[in-house]
Amino acid sequence: MKKLISLGLALALLFGLTVPARAAGLSNFQQASEYTEGQFRDVPAGSRWAANVRTACGYGIMGGKSADYFDTEGSVTIGQAVAMACRIHSTYWDSEADFSGGSPWYAPYVGYALEYGILTQGYADYSVPLSRAAFAMILGAALPDEALQAVNVIEEGAIPDVPAGSGFHDAVYRLYRAGILTGNDNAGTFGPYSAVSRGAAAAIVSRMADPSLRQSFTLKKTAFKPVPMKQLANLKSLRKRANDAELTQAYNAAAELVTPLADLSREEQLFGVATLLRQMFDEGMSYSSDSPHYNDPYGYFILKTASCAGCTRATGLCLNILDIPYEHVNENQYSHQWCRVNVNGTYWICDAYGLYCGPEPAPYQHPYF
């Protein structure tokens, strides 16, 4: 009997001393280290990034480049971004992960990020700066949806330089709606391919950890505005023999044709242009290599007769109106011609006459010619 009582007391004492694990949540972010205003010589009290740096350092998400220098204008490297994301993820889930003792220093963070889906694949070099788009994708993966609930109305298509279908679209819109990202101007421009400064990173991670710092705003989609005729990237080539009045007629017809494509991804826009121009030909156009304006957009859109050169320039006019630059392959040569477009580093062919729209099989090679 005494043994049973002793065992019961021991168990009661054991459970009484056990500290229950904290639940996952933003409340896990607590002051981890002391921060003295002005401790970094480039972050004086009251300066632009002071409050954000205080929060990011106080929560242990970021640190200075040295004891007295934060380097607010320096670029965030891939390794630094992964480390920030891992610290946020670990704190939120109360995982008590140990990131010390790695060689190189970021190795434990990379392993953790790959294990928990913060990264889907590794990088060749973690010491180089990363883009704002990549930063949004990595940092956004550190917190679940319940920690990034929408507080803002950001209409689809409202962020000017984040097209639908881009690999970073969902991550950026999620962080805008959560009040983490705010854009670089009143239009909400994101700047996906520019580098992330350490000052801006401090603002972003601070808002992720502390909901009270998140920004409230609304972005509404603006109506599509075709690139003005005088500002078309390939204007000189497009004009060929058309005068201003003739080119204006072709421009207006092309603008009407492509306006419904304005909100689509780049790939969908190319497919749309090629499909619509081919449909025009199939509905009653004629092929010609000697009729007036056979090789310019006026011939294609207005006179309804054109060669592959005219089709290429009609295609190019549509692309330029959508603010898509292109290369006219085999221009002014007696061979098949088409538009070549850079789509996120992969070159595509957009060719209504040649019945092909898609990645080129080899540089300047057409699959059918």
Side-chain angles (χ1 to χ4, degrees):
M1 183 68 177
K2 289 182 178 180
K3 289 182 178 180
L4 289 174
I5 293 173
S6 298
L7 178 59
L9 290 173
L11 289 172
L13 182 60
L14 175 63
F15 287 120
L17 293 176
T18 300
V19 178
R22 294 183 300 178
L26 293 172
S27 61
N28 290 342
F29 289 92
Q30 303 291 332
Q31 191 78 13
S33 60
E34 291 296 325
Y35 180 85
T36 304
E37 291 290 348
Q39 72 180 50
F40 297 123
R41 49 189 161 85
D42 59 328
V43 191
S47 62
R48 179 186 182 189
W49 302 120
N52 300 129
V53 171
R54 179 179 65 247
T55 302
C57 292
Y59 284 164
I61 302 172
M62 295 182 72
K65 282 289 190 71
S66 66
D68 67 344
Y69 184 62
F70 187 80
D71 191 17
T72 56
E73 299 306 313
S75 297
V76 174
T77 66
I78 296 173
Q80 292 167 352
V82 172
M84 294 176 210
C86 290
R87 291 166 188 157
I88 290 173
H89 185 278
S90 174
T91 301
Y92 181 86
W93 294 106
D94 194 31
S95 69
E96 299 182 353
D98 182 8
F99 299 116
S100 63
S103 181
W105 70 269
Y106 52 75
Y109 294 103
V110 173
Y112 182 97
L114 290 170
E115 179 181 356
Y116 288 99
I118 296 170
L119 291 180
T120 56
Q121 61 183 19
Y123 286 83
D125 187 353
Y126 289 86
S127 65
V128 298
L130 82 169
S131 67
R132 288 170 59 83
F135 188 77
M137 294 171 69
I138 292 172
L139 269 291
L143 289 178
D145 288 342
E146 53 265 30
L148 293 172
Q149 295 182 7
V151 296
N152 297 323
V153 175
I154 311 296
E155 293 184 352
E156 183 59 44
I159 307 175
D161 51 356
V162 180
S166 59
F168 50 86
H169 171 278
D170 292 350
V172 173
Y173 268 84
R174 181 170 176 250
L175 294 179
Y176 266 69
R177 287 168 176 152
I180 307 296
L181 296 176
T182 60
N184 300 320
D185 52 32
N186 292 335
T189 303
F190 176 57
Y193 304 111
S194 60
V196 185
S197 73
R198 285 174 51 81
I204 291 168
V205 300
S206 297
R207 294 168 191 159
M208 293 185 72
D210 186 348
S212 70
L213 300 177
R214 298 180 183 181
Q215 305 294 299
S216 297
F217 61 102
T218 297
L219 281 181
K220 294 187 177 294
K221 176 186 169 185
T222 57
F224 169 62
K225 294 181 179 179
V227 174
M229 190 174 78
K230 297 295 185 181
Q231 297 176 21
L232 296 174
N234 299 75
L235 178 61
K236 183 177 180 180
S237 170
L238 290 169
R239 179 183 294 279
K240 204 59 179 177
R241 294 186 177 87
N243 59 35
D244 284 349
E246 292 166 341
L247 187 60
T248 298
Q249 290 184 64
Y251 172 90
N252 291 337
E256 182 178 355
L257 189 75
V258 302
T259 293
L261 307 178
D263 294 332
L264 303 181
S265 67
R266 178 61 53 88
E267 295 87 343
E268 291 171 326
Q269 288 176 332
L270 295 182
F271 274 121
V273 168
T275 300
L276 291 170
L277 290 181
R278 182 66 201 192
Q279 183 178 343
M280 285 181 61
F281 179 82
D282 291 339
E283 289 177 350
M285 286 185 59
S286 60
Y287 181 91
S288 174
S289 59
D290 55 14
S291 62
H293 298 284
Y294 73 91
N295 58 357
D296 65 40
Y298 182 74
Y300 199 96
F301 284 107
I302 308 303
L303 302 181
K304 308 298 184 184
T305 179
S307 67
C308 63
C311 180
T312 299
R313 290 191 174 91
T315 302
L317 177 58
C318 292
L319 297 177
N320 273 187
I321 287 172
L322 291 168
D323 200 21
I324 302 174
Y326 71 95
E327 183 178 355
H328 188 143
V329 178
N330 296 327
E331 185 172 18
N332 300 323
Q333 297 182 30
Y334 287 102
S335 59
H336 188 63
Q337 302 175 31
W338 63 86
C339 290
R340 185 175 190 249
V341 183
N342 187 334
V343 181
N344 300 320
T346 299
Y347 280 94
W348 276 46
I349 293 169
C350 187
D351 181 11
Y353 265 15
L355 296 174
Y356 181 73
C357 182
E360 59 182 10
Y364 296 97
Q365 296 298 309
H366 196 295
Y368 303 146
F369 293 91

